[in-house]
mmCIF file of all heavy atoms in Angstrom:
data_model
loop_
_atom_site.group_PDB
_atom_site.id
_atom_site.type_symbol
_atom_site.label_atom_id
_atom_site.label_comp_id
_atom_site.label_asym_id
_atom_site.label_seq_id
_atom_site.Cartn_x
_atom_site.Cartn_y
_atom_site.Cartn_z
ATOM 1 N N GLN B 781 58.184 2.429 25.806
ATOM 2 C CA GLN B 781 58.626 3.743 26.250
ATOM 3 C C GLN B 781 57.454 4.552 26.813
ATOM 4 O O GLN B 781 57.660 5.502 27.552
ATOM 5 C CB GLN B 781 59.264 4.518 25.089
ATOM 6 C CG GLN B 781 60.593 3.979 24.652
ATOM 7 C CD GLN B 781 61.102 4.710 23.449
ATOM 8 O OE1 GLN B 781 60.549 4.614 22.357
ATOM 9 N NE2 GLN B 781 62.197 5.466 23.643
ATOM 10 N N ALA B 782 56.228 4.165 26.476
ATOM 11 C CA ALA B 782 55.039 4.853 26.973
ATOM 12 C C ALA B 782 54.556 4.221 28.280
ATOM 13 O O ALA B 782 53.538 4.686 28.834
ATOM 14 C CB ALA B 782 53.947 4.809 25.924
ATOM 15 N N HIS B 783 55.237 3.217 28.790
ATOM 16 C CA HIS B 783 54.833 2.577 30.041
ATOM 17 C C HIS B 783 54.674 3.610 31.126
ATOM 18 O O HIS B 783 55.571 4.415 31.372
ATOM 19 C CB HIS B 783 55.874 1.514 30.433
ATOM 20 C CG HIS B 783 55.542 0.828 31.699
ATOM 21 N ND1 HIS B 783 54.566 -0.117 31.793
ATOM 22 C CD2 HIS B 783 56.054 0.977 32.962
ATOM 23 C CE1 HIS B 783 54.489 -0.546 33.052
ATOM 24 N NE2 HIS B 783 55.377 0.100 33.771
ATOM 25 N N GLY B 784 53.510 3.625 31.760
ATOM 26 C CA GLY B 784 53.227 4.571 32.833
ATOM 27 C C GLY B 784 52.804 5.946 32.374
ATOM 28 O O GLY B 784 52.536 6.841 33.210
ATOM 29 N N ALA B 785 52.690 6.159 31.088
ATOM 30 C CA ALA B 785 52.367 7.489 30.567
ATOM 31 C C ALA B 785 50.876 7.684 30.354
ATOM 32 O O ALA B 785 50.084 6.723 30.309
ATOM 33 C CB ALA B 785 53.099 7.706 29.242
ATOM 34 N N ASP B 786 50.499 8.933 30.220
ATOM 35 C CA ASP B 786 49.149 9.321 29.812
ATOM 36 C C ASP B 786 49.210 9.670 28.341
ATOM 37 O O ASP B 786 49.893 10.638 27.966
ATOM 38 C CB ASP B 786 48.716 10.518 30.674
ATOM 39 C CG ASP B 786 47.332 11.023 30.266
ATOM 40 O OD1 ASP B 786 46.452 10.207 29.954
ATOM 41 O OD2 ASP B 786 47.149 12.247 30.232
ATOM 42 N N VAL B 787 48.495 8.926 27.534
ATOM 43 C CA VAL B 787 48.479 9.112 26.074
ATOM 44 C C VAL B 787 47.102 9.601 25.666
ATOM 45 O O VAL B 787 46.109 9.089 26.141
ATOM 46 C CB VAL B 787 48.848 7.815 25.320
ATOM 47 C CG1 VAL B 787 48.750 7.984 23.816
ATOM 48 C CG2 VAL B 787 50.249 7.359 25.735
ATOM 49 N N ARG B 788 47.095 10.565 24.782
ATOM 50 C CA ARG B 788 45.829 11.067 24.193
ATOM 51 C C ARG B 788 45.903 10.923 22.691
ATOM 52 O O ARG B 788 46.908 11.289 22.080
ATOM 53 C CB ARG B 788 45.553 12.513 24.575
ATOM 54 C CG ARG B 788 45.147 12.680 26.018
ATOM 55 C CD ARG B 788 44.726 14.082 26.332
ATOM 56 N NE ARG B 788 43.640 14.532 25.486
ATOM 57 C CZ ARG B 788 43.386 15.793 25.222
ATOM 58 N NH1 ARG B 788 44.160 16.758 25.682
ATOM 59 N NH2 ARG B 788 42.394 16.142 24.433
ATOM 60 N N THR B 789 44.842 10.406 22.116
ATOM 61 C CA THR B 789 44.721 10.279 20.675
ATOM 62 C C THR B 789 43.609 11.206 20.186
ATOM 63 O O THR B 789 42.882 11.800 21.001
ATOM 64 C CB THR B 789 44.425 8.841 20.245
ATOM 65 O OG1 THR B 789 43.106 8.505 20.671
ATOM 66 C CG2 THR B 789 45.446 7.877 20.843
ATOM 67 N N VAL B 790 43.437 11.277 18.893
ATOM 68 C CA VAL B 790 42.404 12.144 18.325
ATOM 69 C C VAL B 790 41.004 11.741 18.845
ATOM 70 O O VAL B 790 40.131 12.606 18.951
ATOM 71 C CB VAL B 790 42.457 12.123 16.777
ATOM 72 C CG1 VAL B 790 42.027 10.800 16.221
ATOM 73 C CG2 VAL B 790 41.704 13.289 16.194
ATOM 74 N N GLU B 791 40.828 10.515 19.181
ATOM 75 C CA GLU B 791 39.520 10.085 19.717
ATOM 76 C C GLU B 791 39.170 10.796 21.033
ATOM 77 O O GLU B 791 38.011 10.886 21.403
ATOM 78 C CB GLU B 791 39.510 8.562 19.957
ATOM 79 C CG GLU B 791 39.447 7.756 18.705
ATOM 80 C CD GLU B 791 40.822 7.340 18.166
ATOM 81 O OE1 GLU B 791 41.844 7.887 18.635
ATOM 82 O OE2 GLU B 791 40.864 6.507 17.242
ATOM 83 N N SER B 792 40.166 11.339 21.733
ATOM 84 C CA SER B 792 39.921 12.028 23.005
ATOM 85 C C SER B 792 39.365 13.431 22.831
ATOM 86 O O SER B 792 38.963 14.056 23.820
ATOM 87 C CB SER B 792 41.219 12.101 23.815
ATOM 88 O OG SER B 792 42.121 13.080 23.252
ATOM 89 N N LEU B 793 39.330 13.963 21.623
ATOM 90 C CA LEU B 793 38.933 15.365 21.417
ATOM 91 C C LEU B 793 37.462 15.601 21.596
ATOM 92 O O LEU B 793 37.057 16.733 21.798
ATOM 93 C CB LEU B 793 39.384 15.832 20.038
ATOM 94 C CG LEU B 793 40.901 15.880 19.816
ATOM 95 C CD1 LEU B 793 41.207 16.403 18.441
ATOM 96 C CD2 LEU B 793 41.609 16.687 20.915
ATOM 97 N N THR B 794 36.643 14.579 21.511
ATOM 98 C CA THR B 794 35.211 14.746 21.738
ATOM 99 C C THR B 794 34.812 14.038 23.025
ATOM 100 O O THR B 794 35.132 12.862 23.220
ATOM 101 C CB THR B 794 34.398 14.162 20.574
ATOM 102 O OG1 THR B 794 34.729 12.803 20.385
ATOM 103 C CG2 THR B 794 34.705 14.911 19.276
ATOM 104 N N ALA B 795 34.187 14.756 23.884
ATOM 105 C CA ALA B 795 33.823 14.229 25.201
ATOM 106 C C ALA B 795 32.880 13.032 25.098
ATOM 107 O O ALA B 795 33.032 12.046 25.770
ATOM 108 C CB ALA B 795 33.215 15.320 26.059
ATOM 109 N N ASP B 796 31.880 13.142 24.242
ATOM 110 C CA ASP B 796 30.862 12.082 24.147
ATOM 111 C C ASP B 796 30.995 11.269 22.851
ATOM 112 O O ASP B 796 30.168 10.384 22.586
ATOM 113 C CB ASP B 796 29.472 12.652 24.268
ATOM 114 C CG ASP B 796 29.120 13.621 23.151
ATOM 115 O OD1 ASP B 796 29.934 13.820 22.238
ATOM 116 O OD2 ASP B 796 28.001 14.174 23.174
ATOM 117 N N GLY B 797 32.003 11.535 22.049
ATOM 118 C CA GLY B 797 32.198 10.797 20.831
ATOM 119 C C GLY B 797 31.353 11.269 19.677
ATOM 120 O O GLY B 797 31.414 10.716 18.593
ATOM 121 N N THR B 798 30.506 12.303 19.893
ATOM 122 C CA THR B 798 29.668 12.772 18.791
ATOM 123 C C THR B 798 29.889 14.243 18.469
ATOM 124 O O THR B 798 29.932 14.607 17.309
ATOM 125 C CB THR B 798 28.167 12.533 19.106
ATOM 126 O OG1 THR B 798 27.823 13.257 20.302
ATOM 127 C CG2 THR B 798 27.864 11.057 19.279
ATOM 128 N N ALA B 799 29.965 15.089 19.475
ATOM 129 C CA ALA B 799 30.138 16.520 19.239
ATOM 130 C C ALA B 799 31.604 16.810 18.884
ATOM 131 O O ALA B 799 32.506 16.281 19.504
ATOM 132 C CB ALA B 799 29.740 17.308 20.483
ATOM 133 N N LEU B 800 31.817 17.659 17.906
ATOM 134 C CA LEU B 800 33.162 18.010 17.480
ATOM 135 C C LEU B 800 33.771 19.005 18.480
ATOM 136 O O LEU B 800 33.079 19.855 19.039
ATOM 137 C CB LEU B 800 33.153 18.644 16.093
ATOM 138 C CG LEU B 800 32.660 17.762 14.968
ATOM 139 C CD1 LEU B 800 32.635 18.551 13.646
ATOM 140 C CD2 LEU B 800 33.507 16.512 14.807
ATOM 141 N N SER B 801 35.081 18.923 18.640
ATOM 142 C CA SER B 801 35.783 19.922 19.430
ATOM 143 C C SER B 801 35.799 21.228 18.630
ATOM 144 O O SER B 801 35.556 21.213 17.419
ATOM 145 C CB SER B 801 37.233 19.479 19.706
ATOM 146 O OG SER B 801 38.017 19.541 18.500
ATOM 147 N N PRO B 802 36.081 22.369 19.252
ATOM 148 C CA PRO B 802 36.129 23.631 18.493
ATOM 149 C C PRO B 802 37.075 23.613 17.311
ATOM 150 O O PRO B 802 36.749 24.114 16.230
ATOM 151 C CB PRO B 802 36.563 24.652 19.531
ATOM 152 C CG PRO B 802 36.051 24.088 20.837
ATOM 153 C CD PRO B 802 36.223 22.598 20.696
ATOM 154 N N MET B 803 38.260 22.951 17.455
ATOM 155 C CA MET B 803 39.184 22.897 16.337
ATOM 156 C C MET B 803 38.666 21.975 15.253
ATOM 157 O O MET B 803 38.766 22.256 14.038
ATOM 158 C CB MET B 803 40.564 22.455 16.802
ATOM 159 C CG MET B 803 41.631 22.552 15.717
ATOM 160 S SD MET B 803 41.926 24.221 15.080
ATOM 161 C CE MET B 803 42.814 24.941 16.461
ATOM 162 N N GLN B 804 38.077 20.830 15.635
ATOM 163 C CA GLN B 804 37.493 19.952 14.627
ATOM 164 C C GLN B 804 36.364 20.671 13.874
ATOM 165 O O GLN B 804 36.247 20.553 12.660
ATOM 166 C CB GLN B 804 36.919 18.697 15.305
ATOM 167 C CG GLN B 804 37.980 17.731 15.773
ATOM 168 C CD GLN B 804 37.375 16.602 16.594
ATOM 169 O OE1 GLN B 804 36.577 16.812 17.494
ATOM 170 N NE2 GLN B 804 37.760 15.387 16.280
ATOM 171 N N GLN B 805 35.553 21.430 14.594
ATOM 172 C CA GLN B 805 34.466 22.200 13.949
ATOM 173 C C GLN B 805 35.022 23.212 12.990
ATOM 174 O O GLN B 805 34.525 23.371 11.866
ATOM 175 C CB GLN B 805 33.576 22.879 15.015
ATOM 176 C CG GLN B 805 32.370 23.534 14.455
ATOM 177 C CD GLN B 805 31.390 22.554 13.856
ATOM 178 O OE1 GLN B 805 31.167 21.480 14.385
ATOM 179 N NE2 GLN B 805 30.753 22.917 12.746
ATOM 180 N N ALA B 806 36.111 23.900 13.395
ATOM 181 C CA ALA B 806 36.750 24.866 12.505
ATOM 182 C C ALA B 806 37.322 24.201 11.267
ATOM 183 O O ALA B 806 37.223 24.758 10.156
ATOM 184 C CB ALA B 806 37.841 25.606 13.254
ATOM 185 N N PHE B 807 37.905 23.019 11.419
ATOM 186 C CA PHE B 807 38.396 22.287 10.238
ATOM 187 C C PHE B 807 37.234 21.942 9.308
ATOM 188 O O PHE B 807 37.338 22.107 8.078
ATOM 189 C CB PHE B 807 39.101 20.966 10.679
ATOM 190 C CG PHE B 807 40.595 21.101 10.832
ATOM 191 C CD1 PHE B 807 41.129 21.970 11.724
ATOM 192 C CD2 PHE B 807 41.434 20.301 10.060
ATOM 193 C CE1 PHE B 807 42.548 22.064 11.874
ATOM 194 C CE2 PHE B 807 42.820 20.397 10.183
ATOM 195 C CZ PHE B 807 43.365 21.289 11.093
ATOM 196 N N HIS B 808 36.123 21.522 9.864
ATOM 197 C CA HIS B 808 34.948 21.199 9.048
ATOM 198 C C HIS B 808 34.432 22.441 8.335
ATOM 199 O O HIS B 808 34.206 22.432 7.122
ATOM 200 C CB HIS B 808 33.839 20.607 9.959
ATOM 201 C CG HIS B 808 32.541 20.442 9.271
ATOM 202 N ND1 HIS B 808 32.301 19.485 8.310
ATOM 203 C CD2 HIS B 808 31.376 21.121 9.390
ATOM 204 C CE1 HIS B 808 31.054 19.579 7.876
ATOM 205 N NE2 HIS B 808 30.482 20.562 8.543
#
Side-chain angles (χ1 to χ4, degrees):
Q781 291 175 293
H783 178 74
D786 176 39
V787 175
R788 287 187 57 205
T789 69
V790 70
E791 288 91 349
S792 73
L793 297 182
T794 57
D796 63 2
T798 59
L800 298 177
S801 71
M803 188 61 74
Q804 288 172 311
Q805 186 65 38
F807 265 61
H808 171 72

